[in-house]
Amino acid sequence: MAAPEFPLETTVGSLALTNPFLLASGPPTASGEQIRHAFRLGWAGAVTKTIVPDTMEILDVSPRFAAWKDEHSGLLGFENIELLSRKDESYWAAEIAAIRKEHPDRVLIASIMASPDPAEWQELACTVQDAGADAIELNVSCPHGMPERGVGAAIGQHADLVGEVTRAVRQVAAVPLIVKLTPNVTDILPVAHAAVDGGADILSAINTVQCLMGIDLETLEPQPAVAGSSTYGGYSGPAVKPIGLRMIAQIARELSIPLMGIGGISRWQDAAEYIAAGASVVQVCTAVMWEGAGIVREMDAGLSGYLAQKYFPDVGALRGRALSRIGTHASLSRSAHRRAAIGYPERCTSCGRCVTACRDGGYHAISIADRRAAIDLDRCDGCSLCSHVCPEGAIVMLPGL
Ligand SMILES: Cc1cc2nc3c(=O)[nH]c(=O)nc-3n(C[C@H](O)[C@H](O)[C@H](O)COP(=O)(O)O)c2cc1C
């Protein structure tokens, strides 16, 4: 593996990392062997698949995934109705202790979930902490299966319950405490505040977005169909990135607590955007399931090249750099008007998609003349629809005349 152009060592709270890339809790961290494999490939840290008390029964169904794909760009969105770790506490205690010894420079975070009884959370937190976990992440955000049992998002959707669980674990946790938030709330800020008030050191967001992937029109079975039936599941992958990014930005603007950004990260650019929106580091799940843990190499090289090119001395220098540019709608300029222009006429194939879009969804400002799209500037309202619809990237938005 070629050495990165630029060192990516960074910190999140008191945790020091060799780069800002961690595996999120999920199938890629379901066993100690997978975590070791990821560490060998270059991941700076990993959050275990959520560990539960041995008394909590975890019975998974099959199949438990559904995917929304695009024939050109691959995966768009991914749904899962998977539950938590099926490995017992003693397995995880032994693996955490062993991995800690084998990879002392990597950060191993234990994700935990227990019954609504705070004492159970405390007991489990002590087990993983005593085994050597560098930090504990509280899963109060799983949107399927567990809420029916009064845990997961059933806790994370209520600020008072999040505060209660966080406070309980804080009483026993000597290592950094991370609270993983659910996006399935009207407003994430009261929950974020409750976690901070309860003693969280770091917040991570987001867990999956509750969804129903689709219905097979032949059989009318909702997907993923388990013997013909389904349930609402958790949405992840590229489609949820804008939701995660929004929530990280919202929290970063409101609170000064360190953040781990999660949701739809599959390339270095996604990670850089999360960091510019206020995250210190990022966690990745679906992209690793789809493309393998080796993606960390490209993410590492890409991010370090970007930092060098932009003269950012380190990852921390990028953190939150876009935040001051996010404000209310009313604060946006009304004078910086733009107009559509055929910026790259040689790319125009006169396919007519911009004409149709502008006619039926815009301002009737585009026609085809001399086998090229032509824009009537008097009619163009500067909405930008045509620039997004054009499959060839021929249309650009220029400052208005
Ligand atoms: C199949 C699957 C299983 C998951 N299991 C867990 C889990 O056990 N605990 C947890 O906190 N999050 C779990 N997650 C959520 C991920 O950690 C992550 O928050 C979410 O998938 C968004 O990130 P992504 O778009 O990179 O996948 C799971 C996600 C998937 C796709």
Side-chain angles (χ1 to χ4, degrees):
M1 186 169 95
E5 269 181 58
F6 210 73
L8 293 179
E9 287 93 1
T10 193
T11 58
V12 53
S14 61
L15 298 171
L17 291 122
T18 51
N19 62 49
F21 306 121
L22 295 97
L23 287 181
S25 179
T29 61
S31 71
E33 200 36 61
Q34 286 166 292
I35 293 172
R36 287 182 184 88
H37 170 64
F39 283 174
R40 284 193 291 269
L41 288 170
W43 292 87
V47 186
T48 66
K49 177 84 186 155
T50 299
I51 304 166
V52 299
D54 291 344
T55 49
M56 190 184 270
E57 195 175 39
I58 300 295
L59 289 177
D60 265 318
V61 294
S62 164
R64 50 185 174 274
F65 302 146
W68 182 27
K69 288 180 283 192
D70 174 81
E71 60 179 284
H72 305 296
S73 54
L75 182 70
L76 298 175
F78 190 75
E79 178 186 341
N80 86 88
I81 51 172
E82 176 169 294
L83 299 177
L84 310 173
S85 178
R86 284 178 274 154
K87 295 190 159 61
D88 62 23
E89 290 182 61
S90 63
Y91 169 87
W92 279 114
E95 284 297 79
I96 290 169
I99 296 169
R100 267 288 80 264
K101 257 196 212 140
E102 291 161 36
H103 296 278
D105 64 334
R106 306 305 160 95
V107 169
L108 184 55
I109 300 169
S111 167
I112 62 167
M113 182 194 292
S115 81
D117 175 7
E120 259 200 28
W121 286 86
Q122 289 180 322
E123 235 174 81
L124 190 55
C126 289
T127 302
V128 296
Q129 176 171 273
D130 294 347
D134 294 301
I136 297 170
E137 183 178 84
L138 305 184
N139 178 350
V140 288
S141 40
C142 177
H144 47 264
M146 306 319 290
E148 297 163 25
R149 295 154 72 171
V151 287
I155 293 179
Q157 288 168 329
H158 300 279
D160 51 341
L161 298 181
V162 169
E164 201 177 298
V165 167
T166 311
R167 230 180 316 281
V169 178
R170 177 77 285 165
Q171 279 171 16
V172 298
V175 294
L177 187 55
I178 305 159
V179 177
K180 182 170 181 179
L181 303 177
T182 173
N184 303 301
V185 287
T186 312
D187 184 357
I188 200 162
L189 294 178
V191 184
H193 272 289
V196 173
D197 295 345
D201 300 297
I202 298 167
L203 299 181
S204 58
I206 54 174
N207 206 316
T208 50
V209 181
Q210 199 175 37
C211 73
L212 179 62
M213 179 60 87
I215 292 173
D216 181 324
L217 290 179
E218 197 52 41
T219 60
L220 296 181
E221 291 176 349
Q223 303 298 310
V226 182
S229 301
S230 197
T231 184
Y232 307 123
Y235 203 34
S236 63
V240 309
K241 188 187 105 185
I243 300 170
L245 205 55
R246 186 261 292 181
M247 290 188 158
I248 283 293
Q250 277 186 304
I251 302 168
R253 283 173 59 85
E254 173 101 355
L255 292 160
S256 56
I257 188 162
L259 300 174
M260 294 181 163
I262 320 171
I265 296 164
S266 52
R267 309 166 311 152
W268 69 264
Q269 290 93 333
D270 304 321
E273 288 177 59
Y274 266 94
I275 294 168
S280 293
V281 297
V282 297
Q283 297 184 17
V284 182
C285 178
T286 302
V288 172
M289 295 174 68
W290 205 252
E291 296 177 59
I295 59 168
V296 72
R297 294 196 183 112
E298 268 179 35
M299 293 175 83
D300 213 86
L303 184 61
S304 72
Y306 170 77
L307 294 177
Q309 183 205 336
K310 291 285 183 187
Y311 301 105
F312 286 122
D314 52 31
V315 175
L318 175 61
R319 190 181 308 144
R321 285 294 278 262
L323 280 179
S324 63
R325 295 170 181 265
I326 304 170
T328 62
H329 193 276
S331 70
L332 301 178
S333 166
R334 262 64 182 174
S335 57
H337 218 81
R338 302 229 155 195
R339 293 270 185 270
I342 311 300
Y344 301 95
E346 70 284 2
R347 292 187 190 167
C348 178
T349 60
S350 62
C351 69
R353 288 173 77 160
C354 58
V355 176
T356 305
C358 190
R359 183 193 65 209
D360 297 351
Y363 301 86
H364 222 314
I366 311 183
S367 55
I368 300 287
D370 293 334
R371 299 224 203 118
R372 293 240 164 99
I375 296 166
D376 178 343
L377 289 182
D378 290 335
R379 282 176 169 264
C380 176
D381 196 59
C383 72
S384 84
L385 175 62
C386 55
S387 69
H388 302 293
V389 164
C390 177
E392 308 299 334
I395 303 179
V396 297
M397 300 302 295
L398 294 179
L401 302 173

